Amino acid sequence: MAEILPLSAAVADLVHDGDTVALEGFTHLIPFAAAHEIIRQRRRDLTLVRMTPDLIYDQLIGMGCARRLVFSWGGNPGVGSLHRFRDAVQNGWPGPLEIEEHSHAGMANRYVAGASGLPFAVMRGYTGTDLLEYTDTIRPITCPFTGELLTAVPALRPDVAIVHAQRADRAGNVSMWGITGVQKEAVLAADRSLVTVEEIVDELSPVPDQVVLPTWAVTAVAEVPGGAHPSYTMGYSVRDNDFYVAWDPISRDRETFQRWMADHVLGVGEPDGQPR
């Protein structure tokens, strides 16, 4: 059964140094507020997992939280590179960063295998690519029925998965809708999970095409209005496109980046007004 907690308490309980952490969301429902709390609590040596690491992973990497990144595509959507990510890979600042690269399909299939309790997933998607030469978690496998040469990828089972959603009820059942990506699979694959939500309500109203995460699948829920900003939450907010553009010059320079993080993340209270 999910426990309803303040964000700081949920992160303190669920995210530990050295954990494998997946913060999922695709354009929509990206859990920025939860990641900022991880930064404030100075978690270290994390293996960060995500299909599409963007600004929030740039911030986590630049603040020294990450030791390793498992991902498919990474960048500032519609703008350009992630400069803190690039600096870590090319120059080892603020520390060296190991990378494990997959395709979108490979990452999605790994989450599905983890959620299904299977050891690996099998797919055709890597055939003809050179990723097998660079990523040792992609292995050739022969179909026992047809003899076709395929590729296998190991299941993803994060220590903790963190996602954002629109609503939860007081029992910890979660409702999300819109572009939902692999949030459900990430939560089901993880040992522990945290869902930040725009609001906690007495009863979940039916919404077309919603995904419901039942309370038994969720470890903790935190009410964090605006917790996806600068990404958006369908029905609650719109994407802050200006911020994505502004992030490019902020993140290019190490000192400018550090000042911005000090002013806007470190020492800042929780978005829900809870004291620190």
Side-chain angles (χ1 to χ4, degrees):
M1 300 290 287
E3 185 176 6
I4 297 176
L5 295 171
L7 178 59
S8 59
V11 169
D13 286 350
L14 298 179
V15 183
H16 314 131
D17 289 352
D19 275 353
T20 296
V21 183
L23 296 100
E24 281 294 349
F26 186 74
T27 302
H28 173 239
L29 298 176
I30 299 172
F32 273 84
H36 286 164
E37 185 59 30
I38 291 172
I39 291 169
R40 282 191 288 269
Q41 295 192 17
R42 302 185 185 279
R43 292 294 181 265
R44 294 292 181 265
D45 297 320
L46 301 179
T47 294
L48 297 178
V49 179
R50 187 168 161 181
M51 284 184 63
T52 53
D54 64 351
L55 274 57
I56 193 56
Y57 274 40
D58 211 29
Q59 294 174 8
L60 285 159
I61 291 165
M63 293 304 290
C65 299
R67 177 185 61 83
R68 190 163 179 262
L69 180 66
V70 182
F71 73 111
S72 50
W73 175 91
N76 184 342
V79 179
S81 293
L82 297 175
H83 301 295
R84 295 302 93 223
F85 175 22
R86 180 183 291 273
D87 201 7
V89 172
Q90 293 181 336
N91 304 309
W93 191 93
L97 181 70
E98 302 172 24
I99 60 172
E100 179 184 330
E101 188 173 3
H102 286 268
S103 66
H104 282 349
M107 292 289 291
N109 277 278
R110 294 186 69 189
Y111 276 126
V112 170
S116 303
L118 296 171
F120 62 90
V122 178
M123 51 188 294
R124 292 190 176 95
Y126 291 109
T127 303
T129 76
D130 62 356
L131 275 173
L132 282 80
E133 300 175 26
Y134 299 98
T135 304
D136 64 7
T137 50
I138 305 170
R139 305 283 180 86
I141 187 171
T142 301
C143 174
F145 302 103
T146 66
E148 182 181 1
L149 185 64
L150 303 168
T151 48
V153 286
L156 268 174
R157 295 192 179 92
D159 294 306
V160 58
I162 301 174
V163 301
H164 189 71
Q166 282 92 343
R167 298 176 188 149
D169 65 18
R170 302 191 188 283
N173 299 294
V174 173
S175 172
M176 66 172 69
W177 62 90
I179 301 173
T180 52
V182 293
Q183 286 97 315
K184 175 184 69 175
E185 290 79 5
V187 167
L188 293 175
D191 290 339
R192 307 181 296 277
S193 58
L194 166 62
V195 183
T196 57
V197 295
E198 293 291 325
E199 61 176 336
I200 294 176
V201 297
D202 292 330
E203 184 176 355
L204 295 179
S205 302
V207 178
D209 297 322
Q210 71 177 341
V211 172
V212 175
L213 296 172
T215 183
W216 55 261
V218 178
T219 308
V221 171
E223 187 175 35
V224 187
H229 181 268
S231 75
Y232 73 101
T233 300
M234 186 175 180
Y236 289 81
S237 63
V238 297
R239 189 176 190 266
D240 187 350
N241 293 318
D242 291 342
F243 184 87
Y244 285 84
V245 174
W247 184 249
D248 188 76
I250 290 168
S251 61
R252 280 181 181 272
D253 178 74
R254 294 175 185 175
E255 291 185 2
T256 304
F257 163 76
Q258 290 175 316
R259 283 196 302 270
W260 190 93
M261 295 299 293
D263 290 343
H264 297 279
V265 177
L266 298 177
V268 175
E270 293 189 19
D272 58 2
Q274 293 288 337
R276 291 192 49 74

